[in-house]
Amino acid sequence: MNFMDIASIRKEYLQGGLRRCQMPDDPLVVFEEWLGEAVEARLVEPTAMVVATVSQECRPSTRTVLLKGLEEGRFVFFTNYESRKGLQIETNPCVSLSFLWYGLERQVHIEGRAVELSAAESDAYFDSRPLGSRIGAIVSPQSRVIGSRTGLMREFVRMRDRYGLSHGQKQEGDQKANNIPLADSPASQDLRDHPASIDISGLKRPDYWGGYAVTPERIEFWQGRENRLHDRILYTREGDGEWLRQRLAP
């Protein structure tokens, strides 16, 4: 496909519109409604959001994570604190979050400050995760250069075996490649169901992994419209904590 082929891809957005006077005073009310509609529409990964951070050299970077809660007006996600985004948040807590719900012709863009959740809050979420996901968080030195996927998966299997999770759960194909499961192997899937006899008390959240809560200062709701005259409604938090609601030009 050449550049002209890409340039010819287009569609009109006709699903809806936004009227500023009909929008509620609290943008979080709108967000919860839109998220609920994205879930009901069975969009792929409706809780996925693009998180943007900035380095000390003022270089931006982005990645996609999953929203795991909207608590006390804050957007919550979890990650490795020693990852690229974690280290950048440590030096500059200002972040942006973007939800892209193309199936509904909608976007939401949020700007705010991220703070670490308490250890108790991170522990509670970590303990609720599937066992395979917990092991993955422990063994992965997120964002660092590694020699190979084989080494990473060998460490995963070692810890899986340490807790007896492989007993009775190894699937056909695990024996291949020295018992190192491929990405799509059943052995690498979540190990949520496990015998009650297995002791996982030692499978604790590592200090380098936990949650962030982003307090929004600016939230923009975008609804696609015909002729690229999209609706953009911006909420900005003022000094008294109230939200100023304005329309932006597309």
Side-chain angles (χ1 to χ4, degrees), residues 46 56 59 110 151 207 238:
Q56 288 182 302
R59 293 181 176 273
I110 300 157
D207 292 338
E238 300 187 290

Side-chain angles (χ1 to χ4, degrees), residues 102-156:
Y102 296 121
L104 299 176
E105 300 175 356
R106 288 174 172 173
Q107 302 176 37
V108 181
H109 304 289
I110 300 157
E111 297 175 18
R113 290 178 176 269
V115 297
E116 290 185 13
L117 292 179
S118 68
E121 291 172 305
S122 291
D123 285 343
Y125 175 71
F126 186 82
D127 292 343
S128 75
R129 303 182 88 205
L131 297 180
S133 297
R134 283 183 253 179
I135 293 173
I138 292 172
V139 303
S140 174
Q142 193 176 101
S143 299
R144 299 180 188 176
V145 175
I146 60 176
S148 68
R149 180 174 180 84
T150 298
L152 180 67
M153 296 310 300
R154 182 175 288 117
E155 182 63 17
F156 177 91

